[in-house]
Amino acid sequence: MRIAVASVYLGQVARGVESWAKDLAAELQRRQLDVTLFKGGGPAQLPYERYVPCLDHTKPATERIAKITRHGGWRFGLSSAAMLQNTTFALRLGLELRRGKFDVVHMQDAWSCRVLERLRRYGIHRAKIILGHGTEETLEYLLHLEHVQELAPYYLEKDREAGVTGKWFAIPNFVDCNLYRPGDQAVARAKFGIPVDRFVVLDVAALKSSHKRIDWLATEMAAFRNIRPKAMLVVAGSPTPETAQVETALAAALGGHVRILKNVNREDMPELYRCADVFAHPTLREMLGIVFLEAMACGIPCIGHDFAVTRWVIGQGGLT
């Protein structure tokens, strides 16, 4: 069996989706399965990686194209720079799947999966499409796909209650506990320039207020500092259009008692988790939350919102 794992933004941004794709492909490769990791941000760096040329959503030229195609183009995946990248990635990936005679392609980019599913039905390739549902798509959207992997039993139960009877299943994400493991906090803090005498609260998330609620975390941290004056907040993540707003909110609430780290190299993330005394992630709901798994694997207790999936993931590793 030939297996493809794909992620449109891999090589450009560091989100949970990209981490999942890279880890899954690495584990399949370690188990000596025939796997290829397709990425939309080049170049290929590993023997089993392959770069798929596509439009880059971060480039001004792509945004200019989107200004033209967005008028009615939403039906065809042309309504924004991000959709343009997903669409062009999927079209090129469909040809790669045909050329390589792949049997399965597994990814978490929902629109790319929709495009690949259409290409399969048109006979362009034969690969079965599996969507790892990590991006909160609606049930109506998911019903366009034959194979859906929910990341938690909670969501699969909701699907079944809604009448879904197809080839859908629940398998959670995983992390490499040889990489994410407890270590020396003082060494880790020295690496990032964080004082050893501070009580550090860490969050790892895209730098945005909507969904990730980092502005809310800032106000909670300000209140916590009335009890624990040496507390400081460290937030690490990829920039978004909302980042300037987040930076303003953090500075207003915490002044010099906050550090914002952008685009931390993935190989440095275990050390970053080890800097923390507690990991706090305030999203109201997550499809799973790889960041909780990474923090707990590094021995860091977690605080999350009181949501069924978050309770299930954190378990005895913290509280909600």
Side-chain angles (χ1 to χ4, degrees), residues 3 16-17 25 29 35 38 43 66 79 91 111 125 150 155 174 187 198 234 251 261 282 291 313:
I3 304 169
V17 170
Q29 172 72 10
V35 61
F38 292 98
S79 60
L91 292 172
W111 178 253
H125 68 86
E150 296 287 15
Y155 292 112
F174 66 93
V187 171
R198 304 299 296 268
V234 176
L261 303 173
V291 290
V313 171

Side-chain angles (χ1 to χ4, degrees), residues 109-179:
D109 302 295
W111 178 253
S112 292
C113 277
R114 282 277 297 271
V115 175
L116 287 171
E117 186 67 43
R118 289 178 185 175
L119 294 178
R120 185 183 70 83
R121 292 172 183 173
Y122 294 153
I124 303 301
H125 68 86
R126 69 177 191 186
K128 296 291 187 181
I129 313 301
I130 303 176
L131 171 67
H133 183 205
T135 51
E136 297 190 65
E137 309 304 327
T138 65
L139 180 61
E140 180 183 12
Y141 189 99
L142 296 176
L143 287 172
H144 290 276
L145 302 168
E146 185 177 1
H147 303 277
V148 175
Q149 173 200 353
E150 296 287 15
L151 303 183
Y154 169 86
Y155 292 112
L156 185 60
E157 291 169 6
K158 294 295 182 183
D159 297 336
R160 298 302 187 212
E161 290 172 5
V164 173
T165 59
K167 300 170 185 176
W168 294 22
F169 50 94
I171 302 175
N173 289 330
F174 66 93
V175 298
D176 182 355
C177 292
N178 292 313
L179 179 64

Side-chain angles (χ1 to χ4, degrees), residues 203-219 233-255 258-262 282:
D203 189 20
V204 175
L207 298 173
K208 58 196 300 187
S209 298
S210 59
H211 182 54
K212 299 303 182 184
R213 301 206 308 157
I214 295 176
D215 53 342
W216 182 89
L217 181 60
T219 61
L233 177 65
V234 176
V235 179
S238 300
T240 73
E242 298 177 35
T243 297
Q245 173 188 343
V246 167
E247 291 175 325
T248 299
L250 289 171
L254 298 170
V258 61
R259 284 280 305 280
I260 303 172
L261 303 173
K262 299 176 183 177

Side-chain angles (χ1 to χ4, degrees), residues 183-191 194 196 274:
D184 190 313
Q185 186 181 81
V187 171
R189 290 191 179 187
K191 179 180 180 70
I194 296 173
V196 296
R274 293 171 195 141

Side-chain angles (χ1 to χ4, degrees), residues 16-76:
V17 170
E18 285 70 43
S19 298
W20 167 85
K22 195 166 186 177
D23 287 347
L24 176 60
E27 181 61 20
L28 293 173
Q29 172 72 10
R30 190 185 69 81
R31 297 185 184 209
Q32 299 182 326
L33 295 172
D34 185 358
V35 61
T36 301
L37 175 61
F38 292 98
K39 55 193 291 189
Q45 297 174 317
L46 298 169
Y48 56 88
E49 280 187 0
R50 193 173 300 166
Y51 167 56
V52 177
C54 58
L55 291 175
D56 184 340
H57 75 288
T58 67
K59 300 297 185 182
T62 307
E63 188 60 50
R64 287 195 293 270
I65 294 171
K67 287 181 179 178
I68 299 171
T69 59
R70 66 167 47 111
H71 300 291
W74 61 269
R75 297 178 181 85
F76 311 103

